[in-house]
Amino acid sequence: SATIPFAIQGTDPKVTKRSIQKSIQAGENVQYEITFTNPANGTPIDNVMITDALMNGFAYVSTDTIVKAGGATGPNASSGPAGTAPLGWGPFSLPAGGVVVITFTTKSPSILACGNMPYNNSALGKYRVISTAVTDERSFDGTLLGNDTDDVFVPCAPVLTKKLSPANISNRGTAQLTFTLTPAPNSA
């Protein structure tokens, strides 16, 4: 038998999203990165608008960086006011091989359920193919199986308490030491 390595290289643009940190606590800032790529064998596109629908309870804090590479052009700031959803950036123009990477910060709600359930959300890129004037869009659906790069988790950090009964022990007396483990105080 023989193994033949191959790669499928599409010509359609691609949008991906990832969370910078995977573990958060309620009320903390969470940083995300959205990457919109026009492949090297793609067709030049313009009017690229990148949006992000924040998860319920999360609030926009800031756009940290917008990096344009491979000949991509466009603005250097968010097109939407702080705290609003969906967030939007653009318009950008991307030749074949052009890339836009947006890093932004949100604030998580003050109460979040802890555990193995991920908090995820999605990003969307709408664009126009310059040669045909056809508009299209590509999305990153954070809820789909396998699209876990954007997921953040709230670990259940239990609280350990101890109690000595009686509190004072006489000479040669006995006491009972009790440990209690309770769920994280920020869990919903």
Side-chain angles (χ1 to χ4, degrees), residues 15-17 32-36 46-54 60-68 73-94 100-106 121-127:
V15 61
T16 58
K17 183 175 181 183
Y32 289 98
E33 179 182 274
I34 298 173
T35 303
F36 190 95
D46 67 2
N47 293 330
V48 177
M49 294 299 297
I50 301 168
T51 59
D52 185 286
L54 291 176
Y60 170 75
V61 174
S62 65
T63 296
D64 304 320
T65 60
I66 297 178
V67 176
K68 299 174 289 284
T73 60
N76 293 317
S78 171
S79 65
T84 63
L87 305 177
W89 299 269
F92 299 99
S93 294
L94 284 78
V100 174
V101 180
I102 300 165
T103 305
F104 66 99
T105 300
T106 66
N121 73 346
S122 303
L124 178 70
K126 294 184 178 184
Y127 61 93

Side-chain angles (χ1 to χ4, degrees), residues 36-186:
F36 190 95
T37 305
N38 192 13
N41 59 344
T43 302
I45 57 177
D46 67 2
N47 293 330
V48 177
M49 294 299 297
I50 301 168
T51 59
D52 185 286
L54 291 176
M55 294 173 283
N56 191 22
F58 282 68
Y60 170 75
V61 174
S62 65
T63 296
D64 304 320
T65 60
I66 297 178
V67 176
K68 299 174 289 284
T73 60
N76 293 317
S78 171
S79 65
T84 63
L87 305 177
W89 299 269
F92 299 99
S93 294
L94 284 78
V99 178
V100 174
V101 180
I102 300 165
T103 305
F104 66 99
T105 300
T106 66
K107 185 172 185 74
S108 67
S110 59
I111 296 177
L112 287 172
C114 67
N116 292 328
M117 181 188 83
Y119 288 89
N120 53 42
N121 73 346
S122 303
L124 178 70
K126 294 184 178 184
Y127 61 93
R128 181 178 71 103
V129 177
I130 294 173
S131 62
T132 62
V134 172
T135 59
D136 204 350
E137 62 185 45
R138 292 291 175 261
S139 66
F140 175 87
D141 185 345
T143 64
L144 292 178
L145 185 63
N147 281 359
D148 58 359
T149 57
D150 67 311
D151 293 354
V152 292
F153 296 87
V154 179
C156 294
V159 176
L160 180 65
T161 57
K162 62 183 178 180
K163 179 180 177 185
L164 183 63
S165 180
N168 296 317
I169 305 171
S170 61
N171 189 15
R172 297 192 184 255
T174 61
Q176 181 177 359
L177 180 60
T178 305
F179 292 94
T180 306
L181 193 60
T182 55
N186 70 336

